[in-house]
Amino acid sequence: MATSTNGFKVLLMGRAGAGKTSMKSIIFANYHSRDTKMLQPTNHVEHNSLRFLGNLKLNLWDCGGQDQFMENYFESQRENIFQHCEVLIYVLVAARDKSLGNEERKKDVEYFKAAIESLTQHSPNATTFVLIHKLDLVHESKRSEVYRQVKEELLTVAPQHTQKRITFMGTSIWDDTLFKAWSRIVAVLVPDPELLQDQVNFMCQQLMADEVVIFEKNTFLVITRAHTKEMQDQYRFEKLSNIIKQYKLSCQKAKTNFRNFVVKNDSFRAIIEPFLTHSYIMVVISDLTITSAATSANLWAARAYFSDMVKAGITFGVHL
C-alpha cells in the first residue's frame, strides 16, 4: 500500500451502540475496558489525526451510528465520506436483543450493504475489515455459530468481486481479540510489508530465537513477527500487549518509565525492550546455552542493521 503524505484515511463505521468509540479509546488512548462506559456516543463524524509508528499518520473518521447519520452517509455525504479511503472498519454487534425482533439485524445488513457499495464506487482499492463485536455477550458454546451466521449473512449482500478484500474477525473489549484484530488492521498500512517480513525472518535466524515480534511503541500492537518453532497460545501477543500497556500505565502513575521486561524459567527466556525509535521488540529463546549477553549484543547489531536501512531510504524503516 502506498504511503500518503497526508496520511491514510480510515473509516470507522457501524450503527449506534456497536462499540466503535470504545475500541478506539482502548487502542489509541489507553482506556481500560471498564472505563469505556463513561464515553459519550459519537455525533456526526469525529475526525482524529493519530500518529502510529512515528511518521505514519492515520486520519481516523469515527462515524456516529445513529440511523439518521447512517442514511446521510450513503446519500448526501456519500462521496465526501467514502472517497480516498484506504481502510473501512465496519463494526456490528454479534447478537441483537431478541425482544427487538429481526428488524434491527435487517437494518445492520442493509447499512453494511450500502457501505460496501459506497466504498466500491469511491475507493475501489480499499480494504475492509468487519468486526463482529461484543461476542462476550454470546454464550461461549454458541460464539462460533453466531459468528459464522453473521458472516454468511453479510457475505450474501457483498458483491462477489469485493469479497476477497473483506476480512471478518470476532472481537470483544473484554478479551484479547480486540488487539489481534487491530494488529491486523494497522499491519496493512505499513509500507513494504514483504521486505519487512524478510528482514525480521533473517533477524530471528541470526538471533537463534524461537520467536521475534516487533510491536508499535505506544499501542503495543503487533507489526510483524517471525518464528522458528510453533507456539501453542494463538493469543499470546494480544495478552502480552494488554499486560505491557497496563504495566506502562502503572509506571506513568509512579512517575517512572518502562524500559524493558525479562521473563525467564527453566524452559525459555523472553526479553522485551526498545528496538528503534517507534518500536519495541520481543525475543523468545528456549536454548538457554545462549547467554543474555550474546542476545543483547546481537540485538545491538540488529538495530545498527535496521538503522542503516533507514539511512538508505527503505520505506518501512522510517516508521520503526
Side-chain angles (χ1 to χ4, degrees):
M1 189 171 289
T3 305
S4 171
T5 55
N6 296 319
F8 295 107
K9 180 178 178 180
V10 178
L11 290 181
L12 181 59
M13 186 169 283
R15 295 184 66 200
K20 304 180 297 296
T21 302
S22 294
M23 63 172 63
K24 179 188 72 175
S25 300
I26 291 170
I27 296 297
F28 293 104
N30 292 327
Y31 270 62
H32 289 278
S33 298
R34 62 179 179 271
D35 294 333
T36 59
K37 295 179 180 179
M38 299 183 294
L39 294 170
Q40 298 298 312
T42 302
N43 292 317
H44 300 286
V45 180
E46 183 177 297
H47 300 271
N48 300 105
S49 182
L50 304 169
R51 290 287 177 180
F52 184 79
L53 284 174
N55 296 321
L56 205 62
K57 183 180 177 183
L58 305 185
N59 295 320
L60 184 65
W61 292 35
D62 184 359
C63 302
Q66 291 82 352
D67 286 352
Q68 64 268 31
F69 297 152
M70 296 292 285
E71 290 165 6
N72 285 334
Y73 301 151
F74 308 130
E75 295 173 5
S76 60
Q77 299 182 54
R78 183 174 176 132
E79 182 175 356
N80 178 52
I81 294 291
F82 289 95
Q83 67 180 349
H84 310 309
C85 180
E86 299 283 353
V87 172
L88 166 64
I89 305 167
Y90 201 92
V91 185
L92 297 98
V93 176
R96 286 289 182 182
D97 188 339
K98 292 183 179 180
S99 65
L100 300 175
N102 295 325
E103 292 304 312
E104 290 300 301
R105 178 57 76 200
K106 288 180 180 178
K107 196 168 285 188
D108 286 340
V109 175
E110 174 188 331
Y111 286 152
F112 171 75
K113 181 176 183 288
I116 294 299
E117 290 175 347
S118 301
L119 189 71
T120 302
Q121 179 183 357
H122 295 288
S123 297
N125 296 319
T127 301
T128 299
F129 291 91
V130 179
L131 305 187
I132 300 173
H133 195 46
K134 299 188 178 182
L135 276 171
D136 55 282
L137 299 180
V138 180
H139 191 277
E140 189 173 0
S141 64
K142 296 183 178 180
R143 286 175 191 170
S144 296
E145 180 185 355
V146 169
Y147 172 83
R148 178 185 57 79
Q149 289 176 346
V150 175
K151 178 180 177 180
E152 290 178 354
E153 194 171 8
L154 296 178
L155 283 174
T156 60
V157 300
Q160 186 69 34
H161 68 280
T162 67
Q163 293 184 12
K164 65 180 181 180
R165 300 186 69 85
I166 302 176
T167 299
F168 290 84
M169 291 177 284
T171 55
S172 167
I173 65 171
W174 299 104
D175 60 25
D176 314 296
T177 54
L178 186 64
F179 280 94
K180 183 176 183 179
W182 277 85
S183 290
R184 290 189 64 181
I185 291 167
V186 298
V188 306
L189 300 174
V190 177
D192 295 328
E194 295 84 4
L195 179 57
L196 174 59
Q197 186 64 59
D198 289 342
Q199 297 302 324
V200 175
N201 288 341
F202 175 72
M203 178 167 55
C204 185
Q205 294 171 2
Q206 294 300 111
L207 290 169
M208 293 180 283
D210 297 9
E211 188 166 49
V212 170
V213 187
I214 293 182
F215 299 92
E216 199 272 337
K217 181 179 179 180
N218 295 316
T219 63
F220 246 78
L221 294 173
V222 175
I223 303 306
T224 188
R225 60 176 284 257
H227 62 97
T228 57
K229 291 184 178 180
E230 292 297 329
M231 303 294 175
Q232 295 181 349
D233 187 352
Q234 63 174 324
Y235 295 114
R236 61 195 177 283
F237 309 133
E238 294 70 40
K239 292 176 181 177
L240 184 60
S241 293
N242 198 28
I243 291 170
I244 295 297
K245 286 185 72 173
Q246 300 312 317
Y247 183 65
K248 287 174 69 177
L249 285 173
S250 299
C251 289
Q252 290 174 9
K253 292 178 181 178
K255 296 183 179 181
T256 186
N257 294 319
F258 169 72
R259 170 59 188 171
N260 60 11
F261 198 85
V262 179
V263 177
K264 182 179 179 181
N265 60 25
D266 293 336
S267 301
F268 72 92
R269 179 173 63 250
I271 302 169
I272 302 173
E273 60 182 48
F275 186 49
L276 299 183
T277 307
H278 309 298
S279 57
Y280 273 73
I281 190 169
M282 178 178 75
V283 179
V284 179
I285 296 175
S286 60
D287 184 355
L288 299 182
T289 63
I290 301 172
T291 66
S292 298
T295 301
S296 296
N298 286 333
L299 276 174
W300 277 110
R303 288 189 187 92
Y305 178 70
F306 272 77
S307 296
D308 288 342
M309 285 194 287
V310 174
K311 295 174 183 177
I314 300 299
T315 312
F316 69 75
V318 298
H319 300 296
L320 297 181

